[in-house]
Every structure is written in C-alpha cells, then in structure tokens.
Amino acid sequence: MTAPATDPQTPHREQDGVRLEIDGELAVVTLCQPKRRNAQSPALWRALTAIGRELPGTVRVVLLRAEGVSFSAGLDRAMFTPEGIPGEPSFLQLAAAGDKELDETIAGYQEAFTWWRRPDVVTVAAVQGHAVGAGFQLALGCDLRVVAEDVQFSMKETSLGLVPDLAGTKPLTELVGYARALEICATGRWVGAAEATATGLANLAVPAAELDAAARDLAAALLAAPRNAVIETKALLRGAADRTYDEQRSAERAAQARRLRDLAGIGD
C-alpha cells in the first residue's frame, strides 16, 4: 500500500482546523483542533470548501473524522460575542447587512456542508462524542454515518434564537421524518447512539475505540464495488424521493442500460 499523499496546503489548513490525506481512491478529512473540541469558524468552512473543490477525480470515497473526544462542539463561541472572530463578520455585522449580502454570506458558509452529497463520491462521517449544531449538520452532510457509542447529537440553534442554516434540515428530515426532526431541532435535546441507529440517523454504532477501524472498513467495502455502478446507484436512491413509482422504474431501466452497455464495452 502506498503512503497517503501529502497535501501542500496542510500547514495552512491545520491552522484553520482541518487536515486532508489522499490514499489512492480514499480521501480522509480530519477535524484537527481537539483542544477546542473542533469548534467551527468561517476559516474552517473555507478550508472544507476548498478541499471539496480540489479533490482529485480519482477519489471515490471521502471519510470525515475528528480528533479528540468530540466530533465538533459546533460554532466557535467567539462568533456570538460583539467582537466576533478577528477578520470575520460578527453576528451583529451580519444582522446589519443587506439582504443580498447576508444571503451570499450564508450561502458561502453552506458550501462547506453541501459538497459531501455530490454524485461522484460516497462520503462517510465517523462521529464520536458531541456533535452539536454545526457539528451535527456537518455529519448530516455525509451520505453515511458511523458513530461511537458515546455520541451525542444536538441541534442547539433554536435554543439560541436561530435556525439550523448549514444545509442540515433536509437530510435530517429525510432520515428521521418531519415530526422527529422538528422535535430534535425545537427542543435541542441530545440524541444518543441507540436512537441514532434505530431512526436511521446512523448506519452503525461501535465502541469508541473501534470507530476509526469501523469507518475505514466501511470505506473499503464501498471501494470494492465498481465505481460507475456505485455512482449510478447513488443517483437512483438520491432522486427516488422526488420521483413517482413509475418514474423511478424508468430511471432504473435507463441506469441499467448504461451499465450493461458499459460492461459490454459499447457505452458512450
């Protein structure tokens, strides 16, 4: 096995709280500020967005993990102070911005959370300890979630007078249904590993010491299947909720025709 490729942006990205390693068809993205419980900031979001844009086309699976006892404690608390984070707009400045500027700023933040759903890769989040607010939404951005038995998800935005706005409301509703999603968000309560696996929020729960190995085993299983078959299947399942039964059957036929012709060497 070859050694993971060195990311030339590593020193800068680690300063912002994230590290990227490429090992063949697997990319590993690590939140790497454990002393701060991987609290999130606009700088971290810009680094995550850049990683999504710069991933080599050979990458098929992306594993998102975090160092330390917590996956992510959510927003950097400095963002809630009048001074904010140096060099970044404070909440007060955001509130005073015009509609277009405010919308564009939040849209820019959301990019760090949306590329995980792109059609050409499968993304897996390995989540331990607290995954709060923005941390919860980052885990929700991935296709699959493996959690440690000590995991505690919580959507705290509503209790702060805000709403979850980092692209987490749709996947949460898709996974657990409207009523449970509303209850989780409106109360800000904790969701543990047993509930997460029972409701489909998590695919698998394992002891904390086994989390990294379990996530990498899942990544390896995903890489074992032919890439184009996985991509076609992901597209079929992702779009199923928006299609009628007959439309889904038609989409299956079209996808299978492409696969058969590709396997026969007569595809486009």
Side-chain angles (χ1 to χ4, degrees):
M1 180 178 291
T2 60
T6 301
D7 174 20
Q9 297 297 320
T10 291
H12 177 70
R13 285 180 176 150
E14 287 191 344
Q15 181 178 336
D16 293 333
V18 66
R19 181 170 61 249
L20 170 66
E21 297 170 284
I22 305 290
D23 187 1
E25 295 177 315
L26 174 67
V28 180
V29 179
T30 302
L31 306 181
C32 59
Q33 291 185 333
K35 292 183 179 179
R36 301 182 60 249
R37 293 182 179 260
N38 299 308
Q40 298 184 29
S41 67
L44 170 66
W45 298 336
R46 287 192 293 272
L48 287 174
T49 298
I51 286 173
R53 291 174 177 171
E54 297 165 12
L55 275 182
T58 52
V59 168
R60 295 179 52 195
V61 175
V62 183
L63 172 60
L64 172 64
R65 58 182 300 277
E67 295 178 346
V69 297
S70 292
F71 179 76
S72 175
L75 293 179
D76 187 325
R77 288 292 176 175
M79 294 181 69
F80 294 94
T81 66
E83 299 80 14
I85 299 174
E88 306 289 355
S90 68
F91 273 24
L92 291 177
Q93 289 172 320
L94 287 173
D99 289 348
K100 184 173 185 294
E101 180 184 355
L102 179 55
D103 184 77
E104 289 176 349
T105 299
I106 297 174
Y109 296 161
Q110 289 175 331
E111 287 188 45
F113 297 77
T114 56
W115 67 262
W116 307 89
R117 293 166 67 91
R118 59 194 251 187
D120 61 323
V121 296
V122 177
T123 55
V124 180
V127 189
Q128 79 279 12
H130 293 98
V132 181
F136 192 180
Q137 292 183 81
L138 186 57
L140 284 167
C142 291
D143 295 310
L144 308 172
R145 278 152 297 283
V146 179
V147 301
E149 291 174 346
D150 68 350
V151 76
Q152 290 289 317
F153 291 106
S154 179
M155 203 72 83
K156 292 293 189 184
E157 284 84 353
T158 307
S159 61
L160 297 171
L162 302 170
V163 300
D165 67 336
L166 296 171
T169 57
K170 182 173 177 61
L172 179 61
T173 304
E174 290 174 340
L175 289 165
V176 304
Y178 161 74
R180 190 178 295 266
L182 174 60
E183 181 231 341
I184 288 171
C185 292
T187 65
R189 70 172 176 85
W190 298 105
V191 177
E195 181 180 355
T197 53
T199 59
L201 181 58
N203 297 81
L204 176 69
V206 297
E210 300 174 15
L211 178 63
D212 197 59
R216 289 178 181 272
D217 284 348
L218 177 55
L222 292 166
L223 289 170
R227 177 172 196 161
N228 288 343
V230 173
I231 289 173
E232 288 275 18
T233 301
K234 178 176 176 176
L236 275 173
L237 297 174
R238 177 70 74 189
D242 297 322
R243 300 188 189 104
T244 66
Y245 181 70
D246 286 341
E247 288 171 343
Q248 184 70 4
R249 289 195 304 123
S250 177
E252 290 173 355
R253 295 194 300 272
Q256 194 72 300
R258 289 190 293 271
R259 297 305 313 126
L260 288 168
R261 288 168 180 153
D262 183 53
L263 291 172
I266 57 176
D268 292 337

